[in-house]
Amino acid sequence: MRIRGYRMISLDHLDLESLWIFGATAAVLWSVMAAGLAQAGRFWPLEVLLATMLAGLGAWGFSRWERRSVSPSGGWNTREAWRLGLLGLAGLLLFSWPAEHFPLLGDSAIYPNTAAALIRTGGLSYHYVPLDGLTREQKELFYIPSERQVPGVPIRSYRGLLYGAYYVMDPDRNQILSSRQPVPIVWMGGAGMLAGPLGMLYVTPLFGVAGLVAIYFLGRQIFNRRTAALAALWLLLSFPQLHFSRAPYAEAVGQFFVLVGLYGLIRALQTGWIGYSALGMMAWAVAFAARIEVLLAIPALGLFLAFMAFRHGLSVALRDSLLLIPSVGFAIGTLNGPYAGATAELMLAYQARFLRRLDGWRLAGGVVAGLLLIGVVWMAMRRWERIARGFQYSFAVLLLLAMGYALFLRSWVERRSPEGFHAELMPMAALYLSPLLFGLAGLGAVQVALQRPLHLERWWLLLFGLSFGMILFWKYTTARVYPVALRRLMPEVLPTLVLLAAWGLRWMEAKVGWRRLSRGLGYLVCLWLAGISGLYWMEQEGRGTWDFIQRLERQIPVDAVVLFEPLQGDAVVGWFAAPLWSFGGRDALLLNQKIDRRLLEEALGRWRGQGRPIYVLAQHDPEAWWPGPFPGHPVGELRWRSSLIGQSLRFPSVIWRFDFRFKIYRID
């Protein structure tokens, strides 16, 4: 058909899922190359452009390989296109109010600050010029030595913590290092190259939307279109998805690559094609390079290989196991060693201290015994139907009992324990996500467990979610404040919950006489989720903060040394020391709480001898915290008026509105 000499474009040959796979593959390949460039100190515009082109070519080649190897899943589906279009549009409208977390108010601000330093220097390791010329004792006025960072836990993986954002690796040579995994940082760095500091904040909203699309295609493969659409809707409306898609944490980035990995490995289980296995394993390696918590997926990866051997043969499983070599190689090559080491030290000191009592041989023996037990149970289930049904029913009952205990009884049972506060983890999550959602997820999990014949893909999803949920609902792995305590649940647990809950609701809907009840429950879950997240739909955290930073830079000479009041009491002006150095390269120094007068006067004398102007930014009168008489005089004042979502145990999370005034002093 032609119109004015042009042929009408046919959509029949297009496949939405293939388009999504192309985009996901390109994102995985770009992450691999960009993280490699950052590690090598070559993250410059020309190299990043070349990596982008190669990622696109690689994704195109993968798509052609897929079409030749696997039957396409179908042509253009207009209804599905509308569904995904509305889902993506709603996600963009809700998530595209990014939080301006530039000041170092928490972990979220580490990523844009490090991305800014990456753009300036091309790497993740830096020479910290502001400390040049100072003695070792003088330098310790401006960073926290690692042995004093956590009382009772001398950290040995690095030498000190600067601004709360960078690791001091060599105090003598003033070498500092990024304190987080590289993948979120390189994505923000790439966005910052294109659209400036505010542009890098849109990385997490875009990944949050991409996560909605990813869970739809994952759910469609494991369950069906209606279940996938409902799960994506609940994920869209949930408060954790909203909050962590706006704030520049690593969770939204990690969630996307975790879901891409799940999709690839599920498709490999279905088809046996090596390309899907490669995509899934490399996506999980990229997810690990975003969040080291992905390490908890190792048991699920082992089960994947076992299921591949059961369904497609031992040779296929051995073939796919070889794909672990490049995936593990990338994960190790991009691992932030000091960050991983410090995390392990803190975990062994607190949450996982019981592991210190286990020697390596006992631990290895336990793992081998567990694997042998799984193998024996699996063989018995294959041979004897009655044993298989008994195992399924036992597993389903234990699952429901465990969930009921964690939701309703654990807090009461452990109320007298010194660590009884950990029991609130699942009940608090249920407040934000709805107890109905947890109940429906339990129902969906039971349906998966009892289904005959066994549906390997659904079983694997269930066991994947359990491998994370059992750990993350056991003890706090973050500060005991909300909403930040929900961040660990967002990438793996939350998608598993909504998928299983949607499946449980669809099962109810299929039962005669239960349709109205199931629809009512579905609406109630939507209302609960929207009722919590809706409180924050129109709230943008930190609005105007970047303008404040620019005003601050204009009031201070470029060659000045800038000292910030210590972070103590309600003083927050020190949050701005990090962005002043990260984005502008200024000599911004955050004073520690304990200030040695002699050492500070010696440092001031050195800077005066160099003819450098010295400024102090303070929230309170310097006479109250400066050691000895304060030698400066006021030369200006700045006002930071904005809002943040407060971190506390209050439910729902409070919105903290503030109006701070900071004074600028000059020391002559």
Side-chain angles (χ1 to χ4, degrees):
M1 179 179 177
R2 293 176 179 272
I3 298 179
R4 295 182 181 179
Y6 292 93
R7 181 183 299 174
M8 290 285 287
I9 298 176
S10 173
L11 299 179
D12 292 338
H13 68 286
L14 289 178
D15 177 6
L16 284 171
E17 193 161 6
S18 294
L19 291 175
W20 177 79
I21 292 173
F22 171 85
T25 306
V28 169
L29 292 174
W30 190 89
S31 299
V32 170
M33 289 184 282
L37 289 173
Q39 295 284 60
R42 300 296 304 170
F43 195 84
W44 302 114
L46 183 60
E47 285 86 342
V48 172
L49 176 61
L50 179 61
T52 305
M53 295 171 62
L54 290 175
L57 286 172
W60 174 77
F62 183 88
S63 297
R64 288 181 61 86
W65 184 25
E66 180 197 21
R67 283 189 172 276
R68 289 197 303 265
S69 305
V70 183
S71 299
S73 57
W76 182 265
N77 187 316
T78 302
R79 178 178 295 181
E80 188 172 59
W82 275 104
R83 184 181 293 157
L84 288 172
L86 291 173
L87 182 69
L89 179 61
L92 288 173
L93 290 174
L94 286 180
F95 302 161
S96 294
W97 298 57
E100 293 188 31
H101 286 185
F102 294 114
L104 232 296
L105 49 89
D107 284 2
S108 58
I110 294 175
Y111 295 98
N113 274 272
T114 312
L118 173 65
I119 294 171
R120 283 197 300 109
T121 66
L124 299 171
S125 178
Y126 320 103
H127 176 77
Y128 188 62
V129 174
L131 294 182
D132 284 355
L134 301 182
T135 66
R136 179 72 172 271
E137 292 77 13
Q138 292 166 358
K139 293 174 184 179
E140 290 187 1
L141 293 170
F142 308 110
Y143 71 85
I144 302 173
S146 59
E147 63 270 13
R148 300 204 300 263
Q149 182 185 343
V150 182
V153 185
I155 296 175
R156 298 180 176 85
S157 298
Y158 50 84
R159 306 293 295 279
L161 187 63
L162 178 71
Y163 300 136
Y166 301 95
Y167 292 146
V168 178
M169 301 305 298
D170 187 342
D172 296 325
R173 296 191 301 159
N174 302 332
Q175 292 297 313
I176 64 174
L177 180 72
S178 160
S179 66
R180 290 299 181 269
Q181 291 284 78
V183 165
I185 296 168
V186 297
W187 277 97
M188 291 185 190
M193 284 181 176
L194 289 174
L198 290 175
M200 66 175 63
L201 298 179
Y202 285 88
V203 166
T204 47
L206 291 174
F207 270 101
V209 175
L212 301 177
V213 179
I215 199 172
Y216 174 82
F217 284 115
L218 175 64
R220 197 180 80 167
Q221 289 295 336
I222 300 177
F223 299 108
N224 53 52
R225 281 187 170 89
R226 296 187 67 188
T227 301
L230 181 59
L233 174 63
W234 284 346
L235 189 64
L236 166 71
L237 295 176
S238 68
F239 172 73
Q241 190 73 13
L242 175 80
H243 180 65
F244 297 109
S245 293
R246 288 180 170 183
Y249 287 95
E251 270 61 30
V253 179
Q255 181 193 68
F256 173 75
F257 289 112
V258 164
L259 293 175
V260 171
L262 278 171
Y263 175 89
L265 298 179
I266 287 290
R267 292 290 285 144
L269 272 175
Q270 293 172 339
T271 64
W273 184 49
I274 190 174
Y276 287 135
S277 298
L279 174 63
M281 291 184 187
M282 189 54 72
W284 274 8
V286 171
F288 176 78
R291 299 171 56 256
I292 60 173
E293 293 88 345
V294 177
L295 199 65
L296 296 175
I298 288 178
L301 194 56
L303 282 173
F304 162 76
L305 293 173
F307 287 176
M308 286 293 286
F310 171 71
R311 177 172 286 180
H312 300 286
L314 183 60
S315 62
V316 173
L318 291 175
R319 178 203 67 187
D320 284 358
S321 65
L322 295 177
L323 296 172
L324 290 172
I325 296 174
S327 302
V328 172
F330 169 76
I332 294 175
T334 56
L335 177 66
N336 187 318
Y339 174 53
T343 300
E345 290 180 79
L346 292 173
M347 291 293 290
L348 289 172
Y350 295 106
Q351 291 93 341
R353 58 180 177 271
F354 68 91
L355 291 176
R356 292 182 298 180
R357 299 191 292 269
L358 296 176
D359 59 60
W361 288 107
R362 289 182 180 178
L363 187 60
V367 171
V368 172
L371 292 174
L372 289 175
L373 178 61
I374 292 173
V376 169
V377 171
W378 185 261
M379 291 174 64
M381 288 174 62
R382 289 187 63 188
R383 186 162 183 175
W384 293 291
E385 178 74 16
R386 185 174 297 177
I387 292 178
R389 293 303 287 171
F391 172 80
Q392 288 179 278
Y393 277 106
S394 300
F395 182 85
V397 170
L398 286 174
L399 190 63
L400 288 179
L401 289 175
M403 180 175 284
Y405 173 78
L407 271 175
F408 304 112
L409 296 177
R410 186 185 173 197
S411 296
W412 181 80
V413 172
E414 300 182 15
R415 66 190 186 281
R416 298 184 186 278
S417 169
E419 296 187 350
F421 58 88
H422 292 293
E424 72 196 17
L425 271 164
M426 189 177 286
M428 285 294 291
L431 286 177
Y432 281 95
L433 296 172
S434 162
L436 290 174
L437 185 73
F438 276 78
L440 289 170
L443 178 61
V446 167
Q447 292 307 309
V448 169
L450 297 181
Q451 186 175 4
R452 294 292 292 172
L454 292 179
H455 196 294
L456 289 186
E457 292 86 350
R458 294 172 186 172
W459 261 94
W460 188 62
L461 173 70
L462 173 60
L463 295 173
F464 168 82
L466 285 175
S467 68
F468 283 87
M470 287 189 301
I471 302 296
L472 300 178
F473 284 129
W474 174 44
K475 284 189 175 183
Y476 278 102
T477 55
T478 65
R480 189 188 168 213
V481 290
Y482 289 80
V484 74
L486 299 171
R487 62 186 287 199
R488 298 283 189 258
L489 305 179
M490 180 195 172
E492 297 91 8
V493 176
L494 181 56
T496 305
L497 275 175
V498 295
L499 281 170
L500 290 174
W503 179 241
L505 191 72
R506 290 304 181 195
W507 175 84
M508 286 183 62
E509 190 177 26
K511 292 295 180 181
V512 177
W514 287 26
R515 177 166 294 185
R516 289 185 178 179
L517 175 61
S518 65
R519 289 185 177 180
L521 290 175
Y523 290 138
L524 284 175
V525 172
C526 288
L527 287 173
W528 189 297
L529 294 173
I532 302 301
S533 65
L535 299 173
Y536 311 93
W537 285 353
M538 306 303 292
E539 184 66 32
Q540 182 182 11
E541 287 191 274
R543 183 181 305 199
T545 300
W546 179 246
D547 291 337
F548 172 85
I549 293 172
Q550 290 182 303
R551 295 199 308 272
L552 172 61
E553 287 184 333
R554 287 194 293 267
Q555 293 203 29
I556 296 175
V558 175
D559 62 339
V561 175
V562 190
L563 305 181
F564 284 79
E565 177 184 348
L567 292 171
Q568 54 189 357
D570 61 349
V572 300
V573 67
W575 289 351
F576 290 92
L580 205 61
W581 178 80
S582 300
F583 287 88
R586 302 295 189 92
D587 285 3
L589 294 160
L590 173 61
L591 286 161
N592 284 333
Q593 294 183 11
K594 294 182 180 179
I595 307 172
D596 185 288
R597 179 178 179 180
R598 178 185 62 83
L599 294 175
L600 181 57
E601 288 179 350
E602 290 174 357
L604 293 175
R606 180 174 183 83
W607 292 322
R608 287 194 189 100
Q610 295 173 343
R612 301 188 66 183
I614 304 171
Y615 285 77
V616 174
L617 262 74
Q619 185 172 337
H620 302 108
D621 186 352
E623 295 290 350
W625 54 268
W626 189 272
F630 180 61
H633 60 275
V635 294
E637 183 177 276
L638 287 168
R639 182 182 186 184
W640 182 36
R641 184 178 183 180
S642 191
S643 64
L644 296 169
I645 294 178
Q647 303 292 337
S648 69
L649 285 172
R650 293 183 60 180
F651 172 80
S653 299
V654 297
I655 298 174
W656 176 33
R657 305 189 189 281
F658 50 82
D659 187 356
F660 289 122
R661 286 175 168 80
F662 308 135
K663 286 191 176 181
I664 305 174
Y665 299 86
R666 175 160 180 160
I667 296 178
D668 296 324

